[in-house]
């Protein structure tokens, strides 16, 4: 019976396999560190295959380089012996929800999701640590033997979370940030669907590096633009006071995502309501309504969304319109006399002629679709109705009051517990604009307070869709943050610690995110009881499998019995099930039911897509009952069979009753 791998995928081996598909002649054999034969790439032969497409040695080329890039490549590809353990008591609707909250290092989380969500994610939003000189960024290492050294040197927390302070005095100030981001973006790209979108919030410190890094990972034409977010009024910086941030967009494949991104203009309800009021006051005196509208628009600042439509200041029987240019696109396009409907005089013609031929213009005048001035001395205009132009392409400049998101979050918690949360309503609108819809998955690997996850529920609430989310957040300790926090941030962090203590919960950023989802779930469920407002909590942990590798000369007779079981003490059957789901590449949100068959606990996953029995005593009766269900896959605990004969017998039972079932053991 074949054994499951029970580690994250080896992405280097995967890349070798892809090269083998394209160029089978360049694959040879080598020996790994343990003396095992492995496939390897003969780069001399590969160079011949690519001939003049290889850039040699120091030859000049366009590239982004930094100290530590080679190690970042390794960090992205190296497999890890970790798993995701389910936490039912912290979840909501664990058995039915399609949403995930993963607590742990996001690089490890991304590695563990590689096979289950390969090419499945529609949108990845990230708000990574801004490289301000005070933030902590991840320092990735996979050398388990150095764990104690790293803890003593302060490079990891007592819980083993790898952190390093990247101050502006550090000579690798930008390099450390790039090394942290590079492997995460590489893994993120694997998860994105072909038409997927990466959306990144960033400030000026790493804005240029982010674009260069994104195009290196996603391709030279992946960068498609950015939104400049005006969200500050500070004026105390040297040289230039930065009052904005960026939201940068990359697409995985332009052919699959042509960029027909549109959004509904903001403030339309206010405009329509105002014009209805003008009509009640002035009736059909369109000139009076036009004057009232112009006066009304003056009451809005440039940052108010209503001001973006202030040119729509006219009205007729059809509705609100903008008197737009009616001139021809080319010089002398159409030239003829157009009489004014009131004076009968010939109207002044645009310098380049009319846009429409004479018969079409006559029809448009008859239908009331041409805006005339009080007499023929002014050039007529086209009527462009607001009802026909309610949508627009995503605009590159936004005014967003950052205090609004903070107030909404404080209202949810009852007090301010998080500094500068991202605006969940802005993110909701971005999701809608780029086409996140029914069944799509949104991933946030720096989920923080959970704004991007909450935004998915807000999208579903307003659109009727059922998009899903995956959030990943490391258990960053708030008490450590409190040591360096100042001013308002110190008070907010203190509030968060007290709030979590009152619930008996750990003082971490991940816990803030989970509590936000709990509160938002209750609120949204009150508005839409049938909507999926649950989330399944999983935690990154060491593998469920014990290290039982021993050499004969280093193993005593009395130790043999203790090495029979390959599962770590304290790990549950459900822990094992989730590691199997990851190893088999199944989504970890699949529905799971539990039955007792012949006295053994059996998991049935996604209508018999997988049956799993981790009983310590797997009887032939249990095996036969499961084989009769004819599942696609079946997995057992290897030590659950009384002998090798019992395990072989189980395989034979499946071959007889369900030959198509893929049977494996852990």
């Amino acid at each position: 019976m074949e054994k499951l791998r029970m580690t994250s995928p080896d992405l280097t081996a995967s890349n070798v396999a892809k090269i083998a598909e394209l160029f089978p002649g360049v694959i040879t054999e080598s020996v790994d560190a343990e003396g095992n034969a492995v496939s390897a790439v003969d780069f001399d032969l590969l160079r011949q295959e690519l001939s003049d497409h290889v850039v040699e040695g120091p030859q000049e080329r366009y590239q982004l380089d930094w100290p530590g890039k080679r190690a970042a490549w390794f960090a992205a590809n190296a497999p890890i012996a970790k798993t995701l353990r389910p936490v039912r008591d912290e979840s909501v609707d664990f058995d039915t929800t399609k949403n995930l909250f993963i607590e742990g290092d996001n690089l490890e989380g991304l590695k563990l999701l590689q096979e289950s969500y390969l090419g499945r994610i529609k949108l990845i939003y990230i708000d990574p640590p801004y490289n301000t000189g005070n933030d902590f960024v991840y320092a990735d290492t996979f050398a388990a033997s150095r764990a104690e050294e790293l803890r003593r040197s302060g490079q990891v927390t007592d819980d083993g979370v790898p952190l390093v302070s990247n101050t502006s005095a550090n000579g690798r100030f930008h390099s450390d940030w790039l090394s942290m981001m590079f492997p995460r973006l590489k893994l993120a790209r694997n998860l994105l669907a072909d038409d997927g979108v990466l959306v990144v919030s960033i400030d000026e410190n790493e804005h240029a590096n982010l674009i260069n890094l994104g195009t290196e990972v996603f391709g030279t034409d992946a960068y498609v633009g950015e939104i400049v977010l005006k969200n500050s009024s500070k004026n105390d910086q040297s040289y230039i006071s930065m009052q904005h941030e960026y939201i940068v967009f990359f697409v995985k494949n332009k052919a699959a995502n042509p960029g027909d991104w549109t959004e509904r203009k903001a403030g339309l309800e206010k405009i329509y309501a105002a014009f209805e009021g003008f009509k009640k006051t002035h009736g059909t005196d369109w000139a009076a309504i036009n004057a009232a509208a112009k006066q009304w628009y003056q009451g809005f600042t440039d940052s108010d969304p209503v001001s973006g439509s202030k040119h729509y200041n006219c009205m007729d029987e059809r509705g609100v319109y903008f008197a737009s240019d009616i001139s021809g696109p080319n010089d002398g396009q159409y030239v003829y006399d157009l009489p004014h409907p009131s004076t009968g005089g010939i109207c002044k013609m645009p310098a380049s002629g009319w846009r429409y031929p004479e018969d079409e213009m006559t029809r448009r005048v008859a239908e009331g679709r041409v805006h005339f001035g009080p007499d023929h001395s002014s050039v007529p205009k086209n009527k462009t109705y607001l009802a026909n132009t309610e949508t627009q392409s995503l605009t590159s400049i936004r005014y967003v009051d950052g205090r609004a998101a903070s107030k909404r979050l404080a209202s949810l918690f009852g007090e301010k517990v998080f500094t500068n949360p991202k605006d969940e309503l802005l993110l909701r609108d971005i999701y809608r604009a780029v086409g996140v819809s029914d069944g799509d998955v949104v991933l946030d690997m720096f989920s923080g307070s959970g704004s991007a996850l909450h935004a998915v529920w807000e999208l579903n609430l307003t659109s009727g869709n059922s998009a899903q989310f995956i959030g990943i957040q490391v258990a960053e300790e708030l008490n450590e943050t409190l040591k360096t926090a100042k001013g308002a941030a110190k008070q907010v962090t203190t509030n968060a610690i007290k709030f979590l203590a009152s619930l008996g919960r750990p003082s971490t950023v991940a816990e803030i995110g989970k509590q936000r989802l709990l509160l938002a779930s209750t609120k949204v469920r009150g508005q839409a009881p049938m909507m999926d407002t649950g989330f399944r909590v999983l935690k990154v942990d060491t593998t469920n499998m014990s290290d039982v590798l021993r050499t004969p000369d280093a193993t005593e007779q009395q130790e043999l019995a203790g090495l029979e079981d390959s599962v770590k003490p304290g790990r549950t059957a459900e822990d094992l099930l989730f590691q199997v789901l990851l190893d088999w590449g199944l989504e970890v949100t699949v529905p799971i039911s539990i039955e007792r068959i012949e006295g053994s606990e059996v998991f049935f996953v996604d209508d018999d897509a997988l049956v799993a029995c981790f009983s310590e005593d797997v009887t032939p009766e249990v095996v036969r009952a499961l084989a009769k269900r004819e599942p696609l896959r079946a997995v057992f605990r290897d030590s659950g069979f009384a002998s090798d004969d019992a395990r072989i017998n189980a395989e034979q039972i499946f071959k007889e009753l369900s030959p198509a079932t893929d049977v494996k053991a852990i």
Side-chain angles (χ1 to χ4, degrees), residues 422-599:
K422 295 305 174 186
D423 192 310
E424 76 278 9
L425 300 186
L426 172 62
L427 293 176
R428 172 203 64 189
D429 294 343
I430 288 174
Y431 297 167
R432 182 186 292 117
V434 303
V436 175
S437 59
D438 225 21
D440 286 339
V441 183
V442 172
L443 167 67
D444 181 0
M445 58 174 136
F446 295 91
S447 64
S449 70
S451 294
L453 313 182
H454 188 175
V456 173
W457 284 342
E458 292 293 339
L459 174 70
N460 292 342
L461 193 62
T462 56
S463 66
N465 288 331
S466 57
Q468 306 155 28
F469 66 69
I470 300 173
I472 309 176
Q473 175 58 45
V474 70
E476 184 180 344
E477 186 46 70
L478 291 172
N479 285 300
E480 290 300 313
T481 303
L482 187 62
K483 293 177 182 178
T484 56
K486 298 178 182 178
K490 187 171 186 177
Q491 183 59 55
V492 170
T493 306
T494 301
N495 292 345
I497 293 170
K498 289 181 178 177
F499 176 84
L500 294 172
S502 71
L503 300 175
R505 302 303 304 164
S507 297
T508 66
V509 174
E511 199 61 43
I512 286 290
K514 282 184 283 186
Q515 294 303 319
R516 193 239 183 97
L517 291 178
L518 283 170
L519 295 167
S521 173
T522 302
K523 181 179 179 182
V524 174
R525 185 167 299 186
Q527 300 169 273
M530 303 305 293
M531 202 175 96
D532 179 5
T533 53
F535 56 97
R536 187 175 280 184
V537 175
L538 307 175
K539 292 188 179 181
V540 176
D541 205 338
T542 57
T543 178
N544 294 307
M545 315 315 292
S546 297
D547 180 8
V548 294
L549 295 177
R550 299 287 192 279
T551 58
D553 59 348
T555 306
E556 307 239 346
Q557 180 70 30
Q558 59 266 32
E559 294 179 305
L560 292 176
L563 297 177
E564 288 180 357
D565 192 354
S566 60
V567 178
K568 286 179 180 175
R571 299 299 170 100
T572 67
E574 196 162 58
D575 289 335
L576 298 177
L577 175 65
F578 272 78
Q579 188 156 0
V580 166
L581 294 178
L582 292 169
D583 199 77
W584 234 317
L586 298 175
E587 292 184 12
V588 289
T589 55
V590 288
I592 300 167
S593 61
I594 304 174
E595 298 180 23
R596 294 203 72 82
I597 295 179
E598 300 291 339

Side-chain angles (χ1 to χ4, degrees), residues 73-93:
W73 272 100
F74 172 77
N77 291 334
I80 56 171
K82 295 287 184 85
T83 188
L84 295 176
R85 298 181 66 188
V87 189
R88 277 185 173 269
D89 60 355
E90 295 180 17
S91 306
V92 175
D93 299 333

Side-chain angles (χ1 to χ4, degrees), residues 3 22 26 30 67 69 92 158 204 231-232 234 247 303 331 368-369 393 555 570 598 625 649 655:
K3 296 288 188 71
L22 294 173
V26 308
S30 183
K69 185 177 183 180
V92 175
D158 289 339
E204 73 279 1
N231 63 351
S232 170
K234 61 185 179 183
I247 302 178
S303 61
D331 231 12
R369 296 182 180 274
S393 298
T555 306
E598 300 291 339
N649 184 53
K655 285 181 180 178

Side-chain angles (χ1 to χ4, degrees), residues 306-321:
V306 169
S307 291
S309 300
K310 63 184 178 182
H311 48 295
Y312 286 91
N313 53 28
C314 298
M315 190 177 193
D316 65 8
E317 294 86 350
R318 285 190 179 85
V320 182
Y321 69 87

